C-alpha cells in the first residue's frame, strides 16, 4: 500500500544551521505531497504542499521539491531559528479519501 | 471563520465512563476525520466521513463510534473508557484533499 517514511528524530541543530528533514514515499500515480508542522501543545498546521513532479512548495523560509524520480519530498530551511522547534510531518494524498502521514520528526533548535 | 473547533480541550475520565468529543467546522467542508496521537507518536486514523450521513472506519476504530448528521458536526463517542484510550484526539476537515486538512487544536484525554 501507499506509505510515507520520514527520518527518525530528534534532529538537534544550533540556531542559523541548515535544516534537512528527509521524506520518501511509496505510491502509485502522482500523489499530492504535504508538510505539516506541530508546535508544542497545538494541532497540526499545513506548512507547504506540492501537487505535481518538480513543483517546489515554500512557506516561512521552508522549501520542499517534489522529486518523482527519487520519490522524495525533503524539507529544507537555510537558517533555522529557535522558534522552528516543533514536530514536522510529511504526508501524501493518494486516490483515497484521506491523507497518509509519516511518523513525524522532532526538531530541536538550540540558541 | 472559527475553523475547526474541538471541545473540551482537556478531560479526565474514569475507567468505564463514557463521553463525547465534539468537533464542529464552519467552512462547509465535506471531509472530516478523527485521529489520535499517543505521546511521542504519529497520527492514527480512527474514523472519517466524506459527507453528512456517511462514515467509515480508519486504522483504530475499536472502542469508538461516530455520527455525521450534519455537514458541520462530527462527534466522537467513547462508550467504555479504557486506559489505552489516553491520548490527544485531533479532528480535521477538508474541502478538497488536494489542499490538505485543517486541524483542530485537540482534546487531551486521560483515562484513570
Amino acid at each position: 500500500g501507499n506509505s510515507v517514511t520520514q527520518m527518525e528524530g530528534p534532529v538537534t541543530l544550533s540556531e542559523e544551521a541548515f535544516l534537512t528533514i528527509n521524506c520518501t514515499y511509496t505510491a502509485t500515480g502522482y500523489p499530492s505531497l504535504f508538510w505539516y508542522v506541530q508546535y508544542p501543545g497545538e494541532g497540526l498546521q499545513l506548512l507547504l504542499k506540492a501537487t505535481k513532479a518538480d513543483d517546489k512548495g515554500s512557506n516561512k523560509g521552508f522549501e520542499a521539491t517534489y522529486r518523482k524520480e527519487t520519490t522524495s519530498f525533503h524539507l529544507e530551511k537555510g537558517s533555522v531559528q529557535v522558534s522552528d522547534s516543533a514536530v514536522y510531518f510529511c504526508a501524501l494524498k493518494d486516490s483515497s479519501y484521506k491523507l497518509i502521514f509519516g511518523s513525524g520528526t522532532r526538531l530541536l533548535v538550540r540558541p | 471563520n472559527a475553523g475547526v473547533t474541538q471541545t473540551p480541550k482537556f478531560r479526565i475520565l474514569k475507567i468505564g465512563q463514557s463521553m463525547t468529543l465534539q468537533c464542529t467546522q464552519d467552512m462547509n467542508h465535506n471531509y472530516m476525520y478523527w485521529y489520535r496521537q499517543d505521546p511521542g507518536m504519529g497520527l492514527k486514523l480512527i474514523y472519517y466521513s466524506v459527507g453528512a450521513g456517511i462514515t467509515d472506519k480508519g486504522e483504530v476504530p475499536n472502542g469508538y463510534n461516530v455520527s455525521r448528521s450534519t455537514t458541520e458536526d462530527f462527534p466522537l463517542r467513547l462508550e467504555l473508557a479504557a486506559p489505552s484510550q489516553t491520548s490527544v484526539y485531533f479532528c480535521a476537515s477538508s474541502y478538497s484533499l488536494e489542499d490538505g486538512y485543517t486541524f483542530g487544536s485537540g482534546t487531551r484525554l486521560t483515562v484513570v
Side-chain angles (χ1 to χ4, degrees):
Chain A
N2 297 336
S3 64
V4 175
T5 302
Q6 292 182 233
M7 62 189 293
E8 294 250 352
V11 174
T12 303
L13 295 174
S14 297
E15 206 165 24
E16 298 184 4
F18 186 87
L19 168 71
T20 300
I21 299 178
N22 291 338
C23 171
T24 57
Y25 67 90
T26 301
T28 54
Y30 297 88
S32 295
L33 301 172
F34 306 85
W35 276 102
Y36 281 82
V37 59
Q38 184 180 31
Y39 299 105
E42 298 185 10
L44 281 72
Q45 302 173 27
L46 180 64
L47 182 59
L48 54 84
K49 67 174 185 178
T51 57
K52 60 183 187 295
D54 300 325
D55 264 2
K56 178 184 283 189
S58 61
N59 187 22
K60 299 181 181 179
F62 291 89
E63 294 182 339
T65 301
Y66 189 140
R67 301 285 188 200
K68 180 67 176 173
E69 63 276 12
T70 53
T71 62
S72 65
F73 193 54
H74 304 321
L75 183 67
E76 297 181 335
K77 187 175 186 183
S79 176
V80 293
Q81 306 300 312
V82 172
S83 57
D84 293 327
S85 297
V87 181
Y88 293 82
F89 290 91
C90 186
L92 71 82
K93 185 262 174 213
D94 60 6
S95 57
S96 70
Y97 294 115
K98 49 193 181 294
L99 300 188
I100 297 171
F101 288 88
S103 57
T105 302
R106 182 176 300 276
L107 170 66
L108 178 60
V109 181
R110 300 191 184 281
Chain B
N1 284 345
V4 178
T5 302
Q6 292 185 238
T7 56
K9 292 192 182 303
F10 304 93
R11 184 71 186 269
I12 298 175
L13 277 182
K14 294 184 178 179
I15 294 171
Q17 286 185 322
S18 301
M19 77 164 294
T20 298
L21 283 68
Q22 301 292 345
C23 175
T24 187
Q25 52 89 10
D26 61 356
M27 299 173 286
N28 200 33
H29 288 178
N30 280 325
Y31 302 103
M32 295 190 74
Y33 306 83
W34 275 105
Y35 287 87
R36 59 177 286 173
Q37 184 179 35
D38 298 333
M41 305 293 285
L43 301 170
K44 294 182 181 177
L45 181 64
I46 305 171
Y47 271 96
Y48 68 101
S49 169
V50 300
I54 305 169
T55 61
D56 210 345
K57 296 178 180 178
E59 305 169 68
V60 290
N62 291 345
Y64 307 95
N65 277 300
V66 293
S67 60
R68 185 93 184 271
S69 56
T70 67
T71 299
E72 295 78 19
D73 299 307
F74 191 42
L76 178 71
R77 178 83 178 161
L78 282 70
E79 289 295 348
L80 292 170
S84 60
Q85 293 178 306
T86 293
S87 190
V88 180
Y89 291 83
F90 289 103
C91 180
S93 72
S94 178
Y95 179 77
S96 165
L97 291 176
E98 297 298 333
D99 295 328
Y101 296 165
T102 300
F103 281 87
S105 57
T107 294
R108 185 175 298 274
L109 175 68
T110 302
V111 181
V112 296

